[in-house]
Amino acid sequence: MTSDLLAPLDLAFWNIESAEHPMHLGALGVFSAHSPTAGAHAADLLASRAAAVPGLRMRIRDVWRPFSFRPSAFGGATRETDPDFDPLHHVRLHAPTADFHVDAGRLMERPLERGRPPWEAHVLPGEDGTSFAVLFKFHHALADGLRALTLAAAVLDPMDMPARRPRPEEPKGGLLPDVRKLPGLVRGAVSDVGRALDIGASLAVSSLGVRSSPAFAAEATGTRRTAGVVLDLDDIHRVRKSEGGTVNDVLIAVVAGALRRWLDERGDGSEGVRPRALIPVSKRRPRTAHPQGNRLSGYLIRLPVDDPDPLGRLGTVRTAMDRNKDAGPNRGAGAVALLADHVPTLAHRLGGPLVSQAARLWFDILVTSVPLPSLGLKLGGNPVTEVFPLAPLARGQALAVAVSTYRGQVHYGLVADARAVPDLDRLAAALTAELEALITACGS
């Protein structure tokens, strides 16, 4: 049985989970169906293909024996092959539905079973027989967005993937470091301390001076609602070419403007509201010791929700993102996740509940980008027409936004606490209205 220790950030995700706040990410793929039985056929295909994907056979088990691995691993967890893996425990066919997002929200509420490989694929046939959807759920300790994409693509129809280079063998060493490396290790430790102090100071400053909104906070109800919006990528490029910056700058500015519209329409008001948005940044390197592990940092920016000018909002976002990029992903309040590498495994275990409650103090809303392949995907000959990424919702937070581009379209996936945000569809509509306002404002 193969196994490896969870990377520190994976372990953190595993330990901060609760029944009300499961730490799985998702993707809702909508397929055009060639027949009314296409959904049932898709479920059969997924189950048969899952058995041949090693990454889908991996479960997570706690380590409580001090000498099972290294003494420092006590209280950690391993990722290992499940000898009793059965795809039928993970792939489920549901009754026909009239609204994929309603069912996806209900299914996102349910934590993954921790005793089995932590992933699921839910097949949702459409009532009209012309489409079906598949909701993939992967625990964040099993996969980040890129890894989840790789696992999902492995059970869809074949697509061109770049060949993987063999990972160089890790040098073997003893319990003590090589004395020739000590000066570098000392410098690294000093650098780590300085970085930690910088991140802590930045985090303290980030929470000062600007009004947030109760719309971004929630009690632990455990309920979920999802919504999706499809925009034209050409429209995003028109704004970018007119005003400069990056596609990502425009996508974030669209979120800021949509939040302004939504808050004003629901009567909460946007005056003085500048919520802290966490923009995750992947630091994964293919040749690290934990190729499947999460390696994330992030940028923290204030969304200019209180600015009435669409182009002003875009300019503010662009300036903030440029400033973050100049500083790099290892500095600033958004880089808190990097500190997980320096926390002992047992501390992750004991401190998980406390850390989960601190997310609200760190950021107000998550805005994350999930990469998707440029080539089309199919399942059983049925093409994917839409893909909505769905991010986890941290304790004390009411809303998370994920965005992907797929075949010339931008797909926003919204996840919200259903009780705190019963009007999520209105926020979805505001995204479309905001892009139209940007196009008008820049004269494109």
Side-chain angles (χ1 to χ4, degrees):
M1 180 185 297
T2 61
S3 62
D4 66 293
L5 287 169
L6 258 62
L9 190 54
D10 296 343
L11 186 61
F13 285 131
W14 189 246
N15 287 322
I16 66 176
E17 180 175 65
S18 67
E20 293 79 16
H21 291 87
M23 291 306 299
H24 54 253
L25 47 85
L28 181 67
V30 179
F31 296 75
S32 176
H34 292 330
S35 72
T37 61
H41 180 52
D44 292 338
L45 282 175
L46 291 172
S48 64
R49 294 177 180 181
V53 181
L56 296 179
R57 304 176 69 95
M58 305 302 286
R59 65 181 177 182
I60 295 174
R61 298 190 69 185
D62 297 327
V63 175
W64 289 115
R65 290 177 294 170
F67 300 104
S68 297
F69 287 87
R70 298 185 298 272
S72 61
F74 180 68
T78 64
R79 188 185 292 108
E80 63 182 39
T81 302
D82 183 358
D84 301 318
F85 175 70
D86 184 349
L88 296 181
H89 291 151
H90 302 266
V91 179
R92 297 159 192 178
L93 177 64
H94 295 261
T97 178
D99 190 324
F100 296 136
H101 281 287
V102 169
D103 282 41
R106 174 177 54 82
L107 293 168
M108 286 293 287
E109 293 179 4
R110 303 177 185 176
L112 294 165
E113 189 171 342
R114 291 170 73 94
R116 291 175 174 155
W119 68 274
E120 293 173 351
H122 296 270
V123 181
L124 309 170
E127 279 187 347
D128 58 5
T130 64
S131 63
F132 66 91
V134 179
L135 173 66
F136 289 100
K137 294 169 55 178
F138 295 95
H139 198 286
H140 221 325
L142 179 69
D144 60 9
L146 184 58
R147 176 67 177 167
L149 168 64
T150 302
L151 292 173
V155 292
L156 297 177
D157 287 339
M159 57 178 288
D160 294 332
M161 296 288 286
R164 292 186 179 181
R165 296 180 179 178
R167 212 173 78 209
E169 183 178 351
E170 295 293 327
K172 296 180 180 179
L175 294 177
L176 297 177
D178 188 329
V179 294
R180 292 169 295 181
K181 299 180 180 179
L182 283 176
L185 293 173
V186 171
R187 287 195 299 271
V190 172
S191 175
D192 287 343
V193 171
R195 182 172 65 183
L197 292 174
D198 173 82
I199 292 172
S202 298
L203 183 60
V205 171
S206 72
S207 63
L208 301 176
V210 182
R211 186 172 78 88
S212 185
S213 169
F216 303 122
E219 298 298 328
T221 70
T223 59
R224 292 291 182 272
R225 184 184 301 274
T226 73
V229 179
V230 180
L231 303 179
D232 193 326
L233 183 58
D234 286 342
D235 288 340
I236 300 293
H237 280 297
R238 288 165 62 190
V239 176
R240 178 192 62 80
K241 291 176 181 178
S242 172
E243 302 301 317
T246 67
V247 166
N248 203 42
D249 294 341
V250 179
L251 296 176
I252 296 170
V254 168
V255 173
L259 290 173
R260 175 182 175 83
R261 294 169 182 274
W262 176 62
L263 290 175
D264 288 344
E265 288 176 1
R266 75 197 319 245
D268 291 343
S270 59
E271 183 178 355
V273 175
R274 298 175 69 85
R276 297 161 299 172
L278 177 64
I279 317 294
V281 177
S282 176
K283 289 177 61 64
R284 174 183 291 194
R285 294 178 180 176
R287 298 186 179 184
T288 58
H290 297 279
Q292 298 179 4
N294 282 279
R295 293 292 301 161
L296 292 173
S297 181
Y299 298 142
L300 199 69
I301 71 170
R302 289 282 185 177
L303 293 181
V305 171
D306 59 346
D307 188 339
D309 177 20
L311 296 184
R313 292 192 290 268
L314 176 56
T316 299
V317 167
R318 178 183 175 184
T319 299
M321 289 298 290
D322 286 346
R323 187 183 303 117
N324 275 296
K325 293 171 187 175
D326 288 342
N330 296 327
R331 296 282 179 180
V336 167
L338 296 179
L339 301 184
D341 290 346
H342 307 289
V343 177
T345 54
L346 190 58
H348 275 295
R349 175 79 58 182
L350 300 177
L354 294 176
V355 172
S356 69
Q357 297 177 25
R360 181 67 183 89
L361 303 176
W362 178 17
F363 62 94
D364 300 299
I365 182 173
L366 178 72
V367 183
T368 184
S369 176
V370 180
L372 290 177
S374 57
L375 298 177
L377 301 174
K378 295 183 179 181
L379 181 58
N382 303 287
V384 176
T385 59
E386 298 172 339
V387 184
F388 300 100
L390 303 172
L393 201 59
R395 179 184 294 274
Q397 295 177 326
L399 179 66
V401 180
V403 58
S404 290
T405 58
Y406 177 72
R407 306 206 65 172
Q409 294 181 317
V410 176
H411 294 80
Y412 281 94
L414 310 179
V415 178
D417 183 282
R419 296 185 187 175
V421 187
D423 56 345
L424 189 62
D425 290 342
R426 294 174 65 182
L427 176 57
L431 289 166
T432 301
E434 178 60 17
L435 178 56
E436 293 173 353
L438 274 170
I439 292 172
T440 300
C442 68
S444 298

